[in-house]
Amino acid sequence: MKKLFATVAATALVGMASSAMAEDCGTITVAEMNWASAGAISQIDKIILENGYGCNVELVAGDTMPTFTSMNEKGEPDMAPELWINAVREPLDQAVSEGSLIIGGEILNEGGVEGFWVPTFIAEEHGIKTVKDALARPDLFKGAEDDSKGGFFTCPTGWNCRITTGNLFRAFGFDEAGFEMVDPGSAAGLDGSIARANERKEGWLGYYWAPTSILGKYDMTLLDFEVPHDKAEWDKCTVVEDCPDPKPNSWVKSEVFTVVTDDFANKAGPAMDYIKGRTWDNRTAGKVLAWMSDNQAANEDGAYYFLENFEDVWTKWVSPEAAEKIKASL
C-alpha cells in the first residue's frame, strides 16, 4: 500500500503539470459501473467534465474485473470512477508502478463499510456505541420469534455475508447474551426491517453496508467491534462456513479510488485536478441513492439531483470558473 500512495503523491505532480496543458481534454471514455453509487458518480463526472472542462465523455458499461482488466491490458476505458481496489490490489499496484495506470482521488473517502448497525436514535438514547454495549441490552432489539430474546438481523440465505455474520454471531456470544438470529428472507425483507424499525422508533440490530440507499434514508450507527481486523483469522475461519471455533474479528474498510490510464492523465489537462480532488462521504452518497430509490430514478437523474442539491459539496471539487459553467448548464 505504501507503493500505491507514493505513486499517488507522484501523480499529483503529473496533475500539476497537466494543469498547464490545453483546456480541452478531448474525447474520453468513462466506465459506468453496474451498481448505484458508481453509476451516479460516472454521470456526475460526465456532466462536470463536459460542461466545466470541455471534454467529450462517452460512457461505457462496466464492472470491477472486466473494466480493470481492459484498462490494464488495452488502456480502455480511460477512467473507472469508482474502483474497489481490494479486489485488484496486486495487479493494480504493478500497473501503477509501471506508470500505465494512475490513481486519482479516493472517491469514497470513508471507503466501503460493512458491519453491525443500530438506529442512531437508539444508540444516542441508550449509549450504545459498541457490539458489547448492544449485547448487554437484548430487550431493546425486537424481531426474534421468542419474545424473551433480542433479534439480530443477518443476511438472507445464500449471501456470502450470511457465513461471516453467523460466525461473528457465535464469536461474540450473541446466543449466550440472549439474542436470536433473524433471517429477513430477502434483500427487500432486510431493508424493510430497517425501515419499519426507524418509522416505528423501535430498536433494530443487524448486518448492513454503506454506501446504500437505505442507510442514506435512515440514520444508522455503525457499532465498534473493539477488535482489529485479523486477516489470517478472517481467511482461516471467519469466512468459512461451519468454522468450529470462530474468534471475534471485524470487517476491514474497502478502499475505493478512481483509476485512470496514463493516456487520460496526459491529455486531461485541468480536468485531472478535478479527478484527483473530488470525493464524497457515505452519508452524502447514500442520500443521493435514497432519492434515486424513492423516485425510481436513473443514474443521470441522480447526478442532476446531486448537482442541484449539493452545491456546497461539488463546488469544492472544481475551479470557480468551471463551477460557473456547470451551474449555467443545469
Side-chain angles (χ1 to χ4, degrees):
M1 198 59 201
K2 290 181 179 178
K3 183 188 295 181
L4 185 62
F5 281 106
T7 310
V8 171
T11 57
L13 299 176
V14 173
M16 292 172 64
S18 67
S19 298
M21 296 172 66
E23 291 290 332
D24 187 345
C25 71
T27 297
I28 60 174
T29 51
V30 174
E32 184 176 12
M33 300 298 204
N34 57 4
W35 60 92
S37 59
I41 196 66
S42 67
Q43 291 282 353
I44 292 168
D45 283 340
K46 176 177 171 62
I47 296 167
I48 288 180
L49 289 170
E50 289 189 336
N51 294 286
Y53 295 94
C55 307
N56 177 33
V57 177
E58 295 179 358
L59 295 176
V60 297
D63 201 348
T64 301
M65 292 310 298
T67 296
F68 172 77
T69 301
S70 181
M71 292 179 71
N72 196 28
E73 296 179 358
K74 302 176 183 177
E76 300 173 346
D78 291 304
M79 181 169 78
E82 186 185 302
L83 191 68
W84 293 54
I85 69 171
N86 283 355
V88 295
R89 183 176 296 277
E90 186 173 335
L92 174 61
D93 207 17
Q94 179 66 32
V96 168
S97 68
E98 294 170 353
S100 59
L101 294 178
I102 310 295
I103 302 294
E106 188 175 23
I107 182 60
L108 293 179
N109 54 43
E110 296 173 308
V113 180
E114 296 175 89
F116 297 166
W117 306 71
V118 299
T120 295
F121 64 83
I122 288 287
E124 292 179 344
E125 182 179 352
H126 299 281
I128 295 175
K129 300 178 181 177
T130 68
V131 171
K132 184 178 179 181
D133 292 337
L135 283 170
R137 295 299 307 272
D139 57 301
L140 294 176
F141 303 105
K142 303 301 181 184
E145 289 189 16
D146 183 343
D147 291 339
S148 68
K149 293 190 175 184
F152 175 87
F153 286 82
T154 185
C155 304
T157 300
W159 290 18
N160 285 339
C161 55
R162 174 69 173 252
I163 298 171
T164 309
T165 299
N167 283 331
L168 293 178
F169 183 92
R170 289 190 288 138
F172 280 93
F174 274 79
D175 191 17
E176 295 82 351
F179 281 86
E180 181 178 287
M181 191 174 286
V182 180
D183 185 341
S186 65
L190 183 60
D191 288 2
S193 68
I194 294 174
R196 185 166 54 252
N198 276 274
E199 290 167 4
R200 295 178 178 177
K201 293 298 178 185
E202 296 176 345
W204 185 94
L205 170 63
Y207 167 89
Y208 216 83
W209 68 99
T212 44
S213 61
I214 197 75
L215 294 193
K217 188 171 184 178
Y218 298 106
D219 191 2
M220 302 286 285
T221 295
L222 179 65
L223 299 181
D224 187 346
F225 281 89
E226 297 186 289
V227 295
H229 175 69
D230 182 340
K231 187 175 186 307
E233 168 68 14
W234 189 269
D235 295 341
K236 181 183 71 177
C237 176
T238 310
V239 295
V240 176
E241 190 164 18
D242 298 326
C243 177
D245 186 26
K247 305 289 192 304
N249 209 333
S250 62
W251 272 273
V252 65
K253 165 187 166 183
S254 295
E255 295 176 301
V256 186
F257 285 84
T258 294
V259 175
V260 303
T261 63
D262 56 342
D263 284 346
F264 176 93
N266 289 331
K267 70 183 179 182
M272 192 61 196
D273 294 333
Y274 159 71
I275 297 300
K276 288 184 298 171
R278 82 201 194 307
T279 183
W280 57 356
D281 57 35
N282 286 341
R283 188 175 296 271
T284 303
K287 287 180 179 177
V288 174
L289 301 184
W291 181 87
M292 292 169 63
S293 176
D294 288 345
N295 293 278
Q296 298 184 328
N299 293 334
E300 184 180 14
D301 300 321
Y304 278 107
Y305 171 78
F306 169 72
L307 292 169
E308 291 168 352
N309 291 278
F310 293 86
E311 185 178 304
D312 59 322
V313 176
W314 67 264
T315 51
K316 296 175 182 174
W317 302 348
V318 301
S319 66
E321 295 76 15
E324 291 307 313
K325 294 177 184 175
I326 295 160
K327 289 178 189 177
S329 72
L330 297 178

